[in-house]
């Protein structure tokens, strides 16, 4: 009789558990999801796996993950009048099965801090309060924090990040390649004093809780930075890090000084640690990763060898030219092995300016850090986004990584702004 009594009790317990799971989404399974058989087409280190969690959502740029494991993704251009996509995993299988959206504006910047979602268009920054379920309370009425930012035909995206003291940092890209009198014209000299730097070509600091700010309310935190898409706040040394897109067309504009090979490889794509008042030197210098120094720009009297002024800062890390870094994330999770803790992941989007050489990028790299400083050589972490090893034009790439985010379990999320794919990378080892 005891056995007969126990079995029904156990069966009832299982039935109740299944019923609760079905009717209470908060009781979803916490087991890691099953990765795709081919790791979503990605090449990863041993014991890592990947899956596609969403697809065809639009030109996906930056991304954030909520504490519930749901996603907000910023689109470069709105789809059906929705520029921010909300993706929710309702059944706990790791794949997003509910797609909604709001925010009728395109852009790149997206950041989540203290239950407030920050998003940028190409000339403004907004904020949205979230409820306890990580859902936006009032989708149609965001707070407008910053407005009337300079934008041009090039480098108009406004990437954003917050520090721990109530400040928000906004990239305002230079609407020029190298501040020539005639932009991108062979032999045209640089404009003395480069007036662009008054309102662009740097990082501006504003208050994260003040409405309707513009230049007069903010601080030009750092200058001489051509354009930044990927940026993050390093929690170990409490500093801002940014990835600069280096200048183009050294050979096309100055063929007597640079051959095609040099132009394809120079200048470096630079990771800068920025302090208030720093000047990285654009347009007067560029960083040469082979000579390991700032070189005076040809528009301002340089010859490819003449060293630039010592007033300009050097990068923390230098990468090959024309890879187009669009995402930067310092990893603070516990899922990945110890070597990844506090290191930097960088998403390289791929560019067009390595012609006639084969295009490079289209991958995510990892650079180890300790105490907020790089400690070793960087390595390719996730490759295969392009779908081919022979990319002669960016149009050849099937996917181009852009945004990076860390999930509450320590997973790494990567967006693609060609087909609107969102990847999730997990560690499957012990």
């Amino acid at each position: 009789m005891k056995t007969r009594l126990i079995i029904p009790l156990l069966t009832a317990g299982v039935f109740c558990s299944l019923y609760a799971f079905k009717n209470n989404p908060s009781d979803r399974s916490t087991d890691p999801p099953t990765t795709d058989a081919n790791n979503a087409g990605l090449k990863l280190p041993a014991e890592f796996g990947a899956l596609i969690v969403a697809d065809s959502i639009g030109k996906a740029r930056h991304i954030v993950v909520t504490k519930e494991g749901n996603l907000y993704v910023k689109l470069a251009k709105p789809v059906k009048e929705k520029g921010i996509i909300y993706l929710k995993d309702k059944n706990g299988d790791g794949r997003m099965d509910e797609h909604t959206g709001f925010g009728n504006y395109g852009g790149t910047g997206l950041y989540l801090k203290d239950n407030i979602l920050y998003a940028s268009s190409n000339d403004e920054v907004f904020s949205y309060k979230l409820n306890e379920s990580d859902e936006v309370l009032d989708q149609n009425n965001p707070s407008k924090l910053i407005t009337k930012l300079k934008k041009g035909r090039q480098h108009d995206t406004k990437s954003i990040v917050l520090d721990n003291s109530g400040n928000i940092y906004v990239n305002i890209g230079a609407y020029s390649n190298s501040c020539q009198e005639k932009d991108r014209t062979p032999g045209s000299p640089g404009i003395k004093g480069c007036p662009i730097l008054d309102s662009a070509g740097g990082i501006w600091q504003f208050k994260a809780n003040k409405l309707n700010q513009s230049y007069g309310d903010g601080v030009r935190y750092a200058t001489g930075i051509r354009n930044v898409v990927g940026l993050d706040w390093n929690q170990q040394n409490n500093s801002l890090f940014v990835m600069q897109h280096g200048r183009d067309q050294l050979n096309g504009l100055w063929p007597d000084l640079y051959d095609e090979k040099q132009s394809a490889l120079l200048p470096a794509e630079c990771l800068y640690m920025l302090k208030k008042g720093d000047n990285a030197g654009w347009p007067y210098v560029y960083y040469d990763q082979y000579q390991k120094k700032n070189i005076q720009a040809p528009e301002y009297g340089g010859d490819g060898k003449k060293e630039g002024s010592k007033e300009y800062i050097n990068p923390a890390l230098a990468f090959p030219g024309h890879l187009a870094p669009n995402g930067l994330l310092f990893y603070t999770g516990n899922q990945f092995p110890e070597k990844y803790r506090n290191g930097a992941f960088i998403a390289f989007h791929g560019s067009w300016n390595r012609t006639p050489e084969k295009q490079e990028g289209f991958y995510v790299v990892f650079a180890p850090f300790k105490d907020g400083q790089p400690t070793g050589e960087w390595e390719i972490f996730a490759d295969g986004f392009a779908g081919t090893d022979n990319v002669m034009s960016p149009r050849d790439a099937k996917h181009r990584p852009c945004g990076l985010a860390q999930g509450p379990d320590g997973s790494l999320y990567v967006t693609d702004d060609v087909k609107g794919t969102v990847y999730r990378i997990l560690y499957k080892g012990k």
Side-chain angles (χ1 to χ4, degrees):
M1 290 297 295
K2 289 183 179 179
T3 303
R4 292 178 182 177
L5 286 173
I6 291 173
I7 291 175
L9 287 172
L10 289 173
T11 304
V14 172
F15 176 81
C16 289
S17 297
L18 290 173
Y19 181 86
F21 173 82
K22 181 179 179 180
N23 290 275
N24 186 356
S26 65
D27 290 332
R28 297 174 302 177
S29 172
T30 57
D31 292 337
T34 302
T35 56
D36 294 345
N38 65 345
N39 286 334
L42 302 184
K43 302 172 185 176
L44 301 168
E47 298 191 282
F48 281 87
L51 67 153
I52 292 175
V53 300
D55 208 357
S56 303
I57 65 171
K59 294 184 178 296
R61 301 289 281 179
H62 286 178
I63 179 174
V64 299
V65 190
T66 74
K67 63 181 183 297
E68 297 288 337
N70 300 318
L71 311 179
Y72 287 96
V73 183
K74 191 74 192 74
L75 300 185
K77 298 179 179 180
V79 174
K80 297 180 179 179
E81 300 185 346
K82 295 176 176 61
I84 301 174
I85 303 300
Y86 179 55
L87 303 172
K88 190 171 184 178
D89 176 13
K90 296 182 68 177
N91 61 11
D93 66 353
R95 302 176 194 274
M96 302 298 155
D97 40 38
E98 181 176 304
H99 297 201
T100 58
F102 56 96
N104 186 21
Y105 54 92
T108 289
L110 201 66
Y111 200 76
L112 179 63
K113 190 175 181 67
D114 297 333
N115 228 37
I116 297 177
L117 181 70
Y118 300 84
S120 69
S121 68
N122 290 336
D123 58 355
E124 296 181 310
V125 180
F126 307 90
S127 68
Y128 302 81
K129 291 183 179 180
L130 306 186
N131 61 23
E132 293 182 355
S133 299
D134 295 337
E135 296 176 340
V136 170
L137 286 168
D138 192 345
Q139 297 180 350
N140 298 319
N141 294 291
S143 298
K144 184 181 292 186
L145 301 180
I146 308 165
T147 188
K148 298 179 181 178
L149 298 178
K150 187 74 177 182
K151 67 175 181 177
R153 289 188 173 183
Q154 49 187 320
H155 313 145
D156 59 353
T157 61
K158 303 296 184 287
S159 298
I160 55 177
V161 72
L162 274 73
D163 63 16
N164 299 313
S165 302
N167 300 305
I168 186 169
Y169 300 81
V170 185
N171 165 71
I172 306 176
Y175 45 97
S176 169
N177 176 40
S178 52
C179 207
Q180 291 175 282
E181 291 179 0
K182 296 182 179 180
D183 191 35
R184 298 184 187 268
T185 300
S188 179
I191 304 172
K192 293 182 180 180
C194 191
I196 289 172
L197 293 171
D198 287 347
S199 57
I203 305 293
W204 267 255
Q205 180 194 67
F206 298 92
K207 294 298 182 184
N209 60 356
K210 184 179 179 180
L211 300 179
N212 298 312
Q213 302 168 88
S214 196
Y215 288 100
D217 305 287
V219 174
R220 186 171 64 173
Y221 188 79
T223 190
I225 303 166
R226 179 174 175 266
N227 188 42
V228 165
V229 183
L231 74 176
D232 199 12
W233 191 262
N234 187 292
Q235 301 297 333
Q236 283 197 305
N237 64 3
N238 201 36
S239 296
L240 174 65
F241 280 77
V242 304
M243 284 295 314
Q244 176 179 240
H245 283 225
R247 58 154 305 155
D248 300 327
Q249 298 174 288
L250 286 170
N251 171 254
L253 302 178
W254 305 95
D256 294 339
L257 299 176
Y258 302 89
D259 61 30
E260 289 183 335
K261 182 77 171 180
Q262 290 173 307
S263 187
L265 301 177
L266 293 172
E269 307 282 43
C270 294
L271 174 67
Y272 289 104
M273 183 181 76
L274 297 179
K275 299 295 185 183
K276 187 176 181 180
D278 277 346
N279 189 337
W282 181 90
Y284 309 113
V285 300
Y286 64 83
Y287 191 79
D288 185 317
Q289 68 269 33
Y290 301 102
Q291 299 184 64
K292 292 182 170 51
K293 57 185 178 182
N294 284 316
I295 299 298
Q296 193 163 326
E299 290 80 4
Y300 294 90
D303 59 2
K305 298 178 182 178
K306 187 183 298 183
E307 190 168 358
S309 171
K310 298 294 186 182
E311 67 181 293
Y312 306 124
I313 64 172
N314 287 317
L317 281 175
F319 297 86
H322 313 300
L323 302 184
N326 276 11
L328 173 64
L329 173 75
F330 287 103
Y331 184 79
T332 58
N334 295 316
Q335 183 188 127
F336 290 7
E338 181 65 28
K339 67 171 279 189
Y340 295 99
R341 194 76 46 80
N342 298 309
F345 285 103
I346 302 160
F348 285 104
H349 186 249
S351 182
W352 58 273
N353 202 235
R354 294 178 69 91
T355 304
E357 299 291 315
K358 186 177 72 170
Q359 300 301 311
E360 291 290 342
F362 316 103
Y363 46 57
V364 176
V365 310
F366 172 75
F369 269 63
K370 183 179 180 181
D371 299 327
Q373 299 293 333
T375 59
E377 296 294 324
W378 60 273
E379 61 190 48
I380 295 177
F381 173 77
D383 201 354
F385 293 92
T388 175
D389 294 328
N390 191 31
V391 181
M392 300 307 296
S393 164
R395 290 188 296 271
D396 298 336
K398 295 181 180 179
H399 303 275
R400 302 175 71 180
C402 184
L404 299 171
Q406 178 182 307
D409 68 338
S411 295
L412 179 68
Y413 290 80
V414 186
T415 64
D416 147 58
D417 68 357
V418 176
K419 294 186 177 180
T421 304
V422 182
Y423 301 83
R424 180 179 176 183
I425 300 173
L426 305 97
Y427 182 67
K428 301 192 294 183
K430 293 183 180 180

